[in-house]
Amino acid sequence: MSLHISAKTLSTMAAACARVTPSKSLHSALTSTLITQSGGDISLTATDAINSLTMKATSSSYTMDTDFSVCVDSKKFSEALKAMPQSNDISLHTEESESAASLVISHGKSK
């Protein structure tokens, strides 16, 4: 998977999803954001199970590979994006090791 999108756009989308999800839950799915890239669009979806509130943000992206879906911790993802400069594009890709897969967020030389 490889995805390129405006840093400001992705940061805004992630922050909106992070505001919806609870900060703590017994189920990690409730504190997560689902990132889906399909047909040139990226969607971030998060749900607050307590109030049945769902946030879905969609934007156009520049993708290099096939469609994908991945779940990330809403708060950590939003904080990582806030720490990056809001200019230019961000690149998302996965790196797999023997034990697990990781989502890598790149902005220029920063990871």
Side-chain angles (χ1 to χ4, degrees), residues 59-105:
S59 180
S60 295
S61 65
Y62 307 99
T63 183
M64 304 297 270
D65 291 336
T66 59
D67 297 347
F68 70 87
S69 293
V70 63
C71 277
V72 296
D73 181 276
S74 295
K75 306 293 184 206
K76 288 181 184 177
F77 185 61
S78 179
E79 289 171 7
L81 292 173
K82 282 182 193 175
M84 294 186 155
Q86 297 297 300
S87 59
N88 299 326
D89 287 351
I90 285 182
S91 176
L92 302 177
H93 69 274
T94 56
E95 288 183 359
E96 295 187 33
S97 66
E98 293 178 11
S99 58
S102 300
L103 179 67
V104 178
I105 307 167

Short mmCIF file of all heavy atoms in Angstrom, two decimals, residues 59-105:
data_model
loop_
_atom_site.label_atom_id
_atom_site.label_comp_id
_atom_site.label_asym_id
_atom_site.label_seq_id
_atom_site.Cartn_x
_atom_site.Cartn_y
_atom_site.Cartn_z
N SER A 59 -11.75 12.34 1.00
CA SER A 59 -11.03 13.30 0.17
C SER A 59 -10.38 12.56 -0.99
O SER A 59 -10.18 11.34 -0.93
CB SER A 59 -9.95 14.00 1.00
OG SER A 59 -9.25 14.93 0.21
N SER A 60 -10.03 13.28 -2.03
CA SER A 60 -9.29 12.69 -3.15
C SER A 60 -7.84 12.52 -2.74
O SER A 60 -7.29 13.32 -1.99
CB SER A 60 -9.36 13.59 -4.39
OG SER A 60 -10.67 13.67 -4.85
N SER A 61 -7.22 11.45 -3.24
CA SER A 61 -5.82 11.18 -2.92
C SER A 61 -5.08 10.80 -4.19
O SER A 61 -5.67 10.61 -5.23
CB SER A 61 -5.73 10.05 -1.90
OG SER A 61 -6.22 8.85 -2.47
N TYR A 62 -3.78 10.71 -4.06
CA TYR A 62 -2.95 10.25 -5.16
C TYR A 62 -2.34 8.94 -4.71
O TYR A 62 -1.46 8.92 -3.87
CB TYR A 62 -1.84 11.27 -5.45
CG TYR A 62 -2.39 12.65 -5.67
CD1 TYR A 62 -2.38 13.59 -4.65
CD2 TYR A 62 -2.95 12.99 -6.89
CE1 TYR A 62 -2.90 14.86 -4.86
CE2 TYR A 62 -3.48 14.26 -7.10
CZ TYR A 62 -3.44 15.18 -6.08
OH TYR A 62 -3.96 16.43 -6.27
N THR A 63 -2.83 7.84 -5.23
CA THR A 63 -2.37 6.55 -4.76
C THR A 63 -1.43 5.91 -5.78
O THR A 63 -1.55 6.15 -6.97
CB THR A 63 -3.56 5.62 -4.46
OG1 THR A 63 -3.05 4.40 -3.94
CG2 THR A 63 -4.39 5.33 -5.69
N MET A 64 -0.54 5.12 -5.28
CA MET A 64 0.43 4.46 -6.15
C MET A 64 0.12 2.97 -6.31
O MET A 64 0.59 2.36 -7.24
CB MET A 64 1.84 4.61 -5.55
CG MET A 64 2.23 6.06 -5.31
SD MET A 64 2.31 7.01 -6.79
CE MET A 64 4.00 6.74 -7.21
N ASP A 65 -0.61 2.39 -5.41
CA ASP A 65 -0.86 0.95 -5.44
C ASP A 65 -2.36 0.67 -5.48
O ASP A 65 -3.15 1.53 -5.84
CB ASP A 65 -0.25 0.27 -4.20
CG ASP A 65 1.27 0.27 -4.25
OD1 ASP A 65 1.83 0.35 -5.35
OD2 ASP A 65 1.89 0.22 -3.17
N THR A 66 -2.72 -0.52 -5.05
CA THR A 66 -4.11 -0.96 -5.08
C THR A 66 -4.89 -0.42 -3.88
O THR A 66 -4.33 0.18 -2.97
CB THR A 66 -4.16 -2.50 -5.05
OG1 THR A 66 -3.51 -2.96 -3.87
CG2 THR A 66 -3.47 -3.09 -6.26
N ASP A 67 -6.19 -0.67 -3.89
CA ASP A 67 -7.05 -0.26 -2.79
C ASP A 67 -6.63 -0.97 -1.50
O ASP A 67 -6.07 -2.07 -1.53
CB ASP A 67 -8.51 -0.61 -3.10
CG ASP A 67 -9.02 0.14 -4.32
OD1 ASP A 67 -8.34 1.08 -4.77
OD2 ASP A 67 -10.09 -0.22 -4.82
N PHE A 68 -6.92 -0.34 -0.35
CA PHE A 68 -6.55 -0.94 0.94
C PHE A 68 -7.45 -0.42 2.04
O PHE A 68 -8.15 0.57 1.89
CB PHE A 68 -5.09 -0.64 1.29
CG PHE A 68 -4.85 0.81 1.63
CD1 PHE A 68 -5.02 1.28 2.92
CD2 PHE A 68 -4.47 1.70 0.65
CE1 PHE A 68 -4.82 2.61 3.23
CE2 PHE A 68 -4.25 3.04 0.95
CZ PHE A 68 -4.43 3.49 2.24
N SER A 69 -7.40 -1.11 3.18
CA SER A 69 -8.05 -0.67 4.42
C SER A 69 -7.12 -1.02 5.57
O SER A 69 -6.51 -2.09 5.58
CB SER A 69 -9.38 -1.39 4.64
OG SER A 69 -10.31 -1.00 3.68
N VAL A 70 -7.02 -0.12 6.54
CA VAL A 70 -6.19 -0.36 7.72
C VAL A 70 -6.77 0.42 8.89
O VAL A 70 -7.31 1.51 8.71
CB VAL A 70 -4.71 0.04 7.46
CG1 VAL A 70 -4.58 1.51 7.18
CG2 VAL A 70 -3.80 -0.39 8.58
N CYS A 71 -6.71 -0.14 10.09
CA CYS A 71 -7.17 0.53 11.31
C CYS A 71 -5.97 1.04 12.09
O CYS A 71 -4.96 0.36 12.21
CB CYS A 71 -7.96 -0.43 12.20
SG CYS A 71 -9.67 -0.59 11.72
N VAL A 72 -6.10 2.26 12.60
CA VAL A 72 -5.05 2.86 13.41
C VAL A 72 -5.67 3.47 14.66
O VAL A 72 -6.86 3.78 14.69
CB VAL A 72 -4.28 3.96 12.63
CG1 VAL A 72 -3.54 3.38 11.45
CG2 VAL A 72 -5.21 5.07 12.18
N ASP A 73 -4.88 3.63 15.70
CA ASP A 73 -5.34 4.30 16.91
C ASP A 73 -5.62 5.76 16.57
O ASP A 73 -4.75 6.48 16.07
CB ASP A 73 -4.27 4.20 18.00
CG ASP A 73 -4.71 4.86 19.28
OD1 ASP A 73 -4.55 6.10 19.40
OD2 ASP A 73 -5.23 4.15 20.16
N SER A 74 -6.84 6.19 16.80
CA SER A 74 -7.29 7.53 16.40
C SER A 74 -6.43 8.64 16.98
O SER A 74 -6.00 9.56 16.27
CB SER A 74 -8.74 7.76 16.82
OG SER A 74 -9.58 6.89 16.15
N LYS A 75 -6.20 8.62 18.27
CA LYS A 75 -5.48 9.70 18.95
C LYS A 75 -4.02 9.74 18.51
O LYS A 75 -3.48 10.80 18.20
CB LYS A 75 -5.56 9.54 20.47
CG LYS A 75 -6.96 9.41 21.03
CD LYS A 75 -7.80 10.66 20.88
CE LYS A 75 -9.13 10.44 21.55
NZ LYS A 75 -10.19 11.22 21.03
N LYS A 76 -3.36 8.58 18.47
CA LYS A 76 -1.94 8.54 18.09
C LYS A 76 -1.74 8.98 16.64
O LYS A 76 -0.80 9.70 16.32
CB LYS A 76 -1.37 7.13 18.29
CG LYS A 76 -1.19 6.76 19.72
CD LYS A 76 -0.63 5.37 19.87
CE LYS A 76 -0.53 4.98 21.32
NZ LYS A 76 -0.04 3.60 21.48
N PHE A 77 -2.64 8.56 15.75
CA PHE A 77 -2.57 8.93 14.35
C PHE A 77 -2.72 10.44 14.20
O PHE A 77 -1.94 11.10 13.50
CB PHE A 77 -3.64 8.17 13.56
CG PHE A 77 -3.59 8.39 12.07
CD1 PHE A 77 -2.47 8.04 11.33
CD2 PHE A 77 -4.68 8.93 11.41
CE1 PHE A 77 -2.43 8.23 9.96
CE2 PHE A 77 -4.65 9.12 10.03
CZ PHE A 77 -3.52 8.77 9.30
N SER A 78 -3.70 11.01 14.87
CA SER A 78 -3.94 12.45 14.80
C SER A 78 -2.75 13.23 15.36
O SER A 78 -2.30 14.21 14.76
CB SER A 78 -5.21 12.81 15.56
OG SER A 78 -5.44 14.20 15.52
N GLU A 79 -2.20 12.79 16.47
CA GLU A 79 -1.05 13.47 17.08
C GLU A 79 0.19 13.39 16.19
O GLU A 79 0.95 14.36 16.09
CB GLU A 79 -0.76 12.87 18.46
CG GLU A 79 -1.81 13.24 19.49
CD GLU A 79 -1.65 12.47 20.80
OE1 GLU A 79 -0.65 11.74 20.97
OE2 GLU A 79 -2.54 12.62 21.66
N ALA A 80 0.41 12.25 15.55
CA ALA A 80 1.56 12.10 14.65
C ALA A 80 1.44 13.06 13.47
O ALA A 80 2.43 13.68 13.06
CB ALA A 80 1.66 10.66 14.15
N LEU A 81 0.24 13.20 12.93
CA LEU A 81 0.03 14.11 11.81
C LEU A 81 0.18 15.57 12.23
O LEU A 81 0.72 16.39 11.48
CB LEU A 81 -1.34 13.88 11.18
CG LEU A 81 -1.51 12.54 10.47
CD1 LEU A 81 -2.96 12.36 10.03
CD2 LEU A 81 -0.57 12.42 9.29
N LYS A 82 -0.27 15.92 13.43
CA LYS A 82 -0.14 17.29 13.93
C LYS A 82 1.33 17.68 14.09
O LYS A 82 1.68 18.85 13.94
CB LYS A 82 -0.83 17.44 15.29
CG LYS A 82 -2.31 17.58 15.20
CD LYS A 82 -2.88 17.76 16.60
CE LYS A 82 -4.37 17.57 16.62
NZ LYS A 82 -4.92 17.62 17.98
N ALA A 83 2.18 16.71 14.43
CA ALA A 83 3.59 16.98 14.66
C ALA A 83 4.36 17.23 13.37
O ALA A 83 5.46 17.76 13.39
CB ALA A 83 4.23 15.80 15.41
N MET A 84 3.77 16.86 12.23
CA MET A 84 4.44 17.05 10.94
C MET A 84 4.10 18.42 10.36
O MET A 84 3.03 18.95 10.61
CB MET A 84 4.00 15.96 9.97
CG MET A 84 4.45 14.60 10.36
SD MET A 84 4.04 13.42 9.08
CE MET A 84 5.27 12.19 9.41
N PRO A 85 5.02 18.97 9.56
CA PRO A 85 4.71 20.23 8.88
C PRO A 85 3.46 20.07 8.00
O PRO A 85 3.26 19.01 7.40
CB PRO A 85 5.95 20.48 8.02
CG PRO A 85 7.02 19.66 8.63
CD PRO A 85 6.35 18.48 9.26
N GLN A 86 2.62 21.08 7.94
CA GLN A 86 1.36 20.98 7.21
C GLN A 86 1.49 21.38 5.75
O GLN A 86 0.49 21.59 5.07
CB GLN A 86 0.30 21.85 7.90
CG GLN A 86 -0.02 21.38 9.30
CD GLN A 86 -0.62 19.98 9.33
OE1 GLN A 86 -1.67 19.75 8.75
NE2 GLN A 86 0.06 19.05 9.97
N SER A 87 2.70 21.48 5.25
CA SER A 87 2.90 21.81 3.84
C SER A 87 3.18 20.53 3.05
O SER A 87 3.56 19.51 3.61
CB SER A 87 4.08 22.77 3.69
OG SER A 87 5.25 22.18 4.21
N ASN A 88 2.95 20.60 1.77
CA ASN A 88 3.21 19.48 0.85
C ASN A 88 2.33 18.26 1.12
O ASN A 88 1.28 18.37 1.74
CB ASN A 88 4.69 19.11 0.85
CG ASN A 88 5.55 20.26 0.40
OD1 ASN A 88 5.15 21.05 -0.45
ND2 ASN A 88 6.72 20.39 0.97
N ASP A 89 2.79 17.10 0.68
CA ASP A 89 2.01 15.87 0.79
C ASP A 89 2.60 14.94 1.85
O ASP A 89 3.78 15.00 2.17
CB ASP A 89 1.99 15.11 -0.54
CG ASP A 89 1.10 15.75 -1.58
OD1 ASP A 89 0.37 16.69 -1.22
OD2 ASP A 89 1.16 15.33 -2.73
N ILE A 90 1.73 14.07 2.35
CA ILE A 90 2.13 13.00 3.25
C ILE A 90 2.01 11.70 2.48
O ILE A 90 1.11 11.53 1.67
CB ILE A 90 1.22 12.96 4.49
CG1 ILE A 90 1.58 14.10 5.43
CG2 ILE A 90 1.31 11.63 5.22
CD1 ILE A 90 0.79 14.13 6.71
N SER A 91 2.91 10.79 2.76
CA SER A 91 2.87 9.47 2.15
C SER A 91 2.62 8.44 3.25
O SER A 91 3.26 8.50 4.31
CB SER A 91 4.20 9.18 1.46
OG SER A 91 4.22 7.87 0.94
N LEU A 92 1.68 7.55 3.03
CA LEU A 92 1.40 6.45 3.96
C LEU A 92 1.76 5.14 3.28
O LEU A 92 1.40 4.94 2.12
CB LEU A 92 -0.08 6.41 4.35
CG LEU A 92 -0.70 7.64 4.98
CD1 LEU A 92 -2.18 7.40 5.21
CD2 LEU A 92 -0.02 7.97 6.29
N HIS A 93 2.46 4.27 3.98
CA HIS A 93 2.70 2.93 3.48
C HIS A 93 2.92 1.97 4.64
O HIS A 93 3.15 2.40 5.77
CB HIS A 93 3.87 2.90 2.49
CG HIS A 93 5.21 3.15 3.12
ND1 HIS A 93 5.70 4.42 3.32
CD2 HIS A 93 6.15 2.30 3.59
CE1 HIS A 93 6.90 4.34 3.88
NE2 HIS A 93 7.18 3.06 4.06
N THR A 94 2.79 0.69 4.37
CA THR A 94 2.97 -0.31 5.42
C THR A 94 4.33 -0.97 5.29
O THR A 94 4.87 -1.10 4.20
CB THR A 94 1.88 -1.40 5.37
OG1 THR A 94 1.87 -1.98 4.08
CG2 THR A 94 0.52 -0.83 5.70
N GLU A 95 4.86 -1.36 6.43
CA GLU A 95 6.09 -2.15 6.49
C GLU A 95 5.77 -3.37 7.33
O GLU A 95 5.26 -3.24 8.44
CB GLU A 95 7.23 -1.36 7.12
CG GLU A 95 7.78 -0.27 6.25
CD GLU A 95 8.95 0.46 6.87
OE1 GLU A 95 9.34 0.13 8.02
OE2 GLU A 95 9.48 1.35 6.21
N GLU A 96 6.06 -4.53 6.77
CA GLU A 96 5.75 -5.77 7.49
C GLU A 96 7.02 -6.42 8.00
O GLU A 96 8.02 -6.49 7.31
CB GLU A 96 4.99 -6.73 6.57
CG GLU A 96 3.63 -6.19 6.19
CD GLU A 96 2.79 -7.19 5.43
OE1 GLU A 96 2.91 -8.39 5.71
OE2 GLU A 96 2.03 -6.75 4.57
N SER A 97 6.96 -6.88 9.26
CA SER A 97 8.05 -7.64 9.84
C SER A 97 7.52 -9.03 10.18
O SER A 97 6.36 -9.33 9.92
CB SER A 97 8.58 -6.94 11.09
OG SER A 97 7.59 -6.93 12.10
N GLU A 98 8.34 -9.84 10.79
CA GLU A 98 7.90 -11.19 11.15
C GLU A 98 6.79 -11.18 12.18
O GLU A 98 5.93 -12.04 12.19
CB GLU A 98 9.10 -12.00 11.67
CG GLU A 98 10.14 -12.27 10.61
CD GLU A 98 11.33 -13.01 11.17
OE1 GLU A 98 11.26 -13.50 12.32
OE2 GLU A 98 12.34 -13.10 10.46
N SER A 99 6.78 -10.18 13.06
CA SER A 99 5.81 -10.16 14.15
C SER A 99 4.55 -9.36 13.84
O SER A 99 3.47 -9.70 14.30
CB SER A 99 6.46 -9.62 15.43
OG SER A 99 6.95 -8.32 15.19
N ALA A 100 4.68 -8.26 13.07
CA ALA A 100 3.51 -7.41 12.83
C ALA A 100 3.75 -6.46 11.66
O ALA A 100 4.87 -6.32 11.18
CB ALA A 100 3.20 -6.60 14.09
N ALA A 101 2.69 -5.82 11.25
CA ALA A 101 2.79 -4.78 10.22
C ALA A 101 2.70 -3.41 10.89
O ALA A 101 2.04 -3.25 11.90
CB ALA A 101 1.67 -4.94 9.21
N SER A 102 3.39 -2.44 10.32
CA SER A 102 3.38 -1.07 10.84
C SER A 102 2.96 -0.11 9.74
O SER A 102 3.31 -0.30 8.59
CB SER A 102 4.77 -0.67 11.31
OG SER A 102 5.22 -1.51 12.33
N LEU A 103 2.23 0.91 10.13
CA LEU A 103 1.89 1.98 9.21
C LEU A 103 2.95 3.06 9.36
O LEU A 103 3.23 3.54 10.44
CB LEU A 103 0.51 2.57 9.54
CG LEU A 103 0.06 3.73 8.67
CD1 LEU A 103 -0.18 3.26 7.23
CD2 LEU A 103 -1.21 4.35 9.23
N VAL A 104 3.57 3.44 8.23
CA VAL A 104 4.62 4.45 8.23
C VAL A 104 4.06 5.72 7.58
O VAL A 104 3.52 5.68 6.48
CB VAL A 104 5.86 3.97 7.46
CG1 VAL A 104 6.94 5.05 7.43
CG2 VAL A 104 6.40 2.68 8.07
N ILE A 105 4.19 6.84 8.29
CA ILE A 105 3.75 8.14 7.80
C ILE A 105 5.02 8.91 7.45
O ILE A 105 5.86 9.13 8.32
CB ILE A 105 2.96 8.91 8.87
CG1 ILE A 105 1.82 8.06 9.41
CG2 ILE A 105 2.45 10.22 8.32
CD1 ILE A 105 1.18 8.62 10.67
#
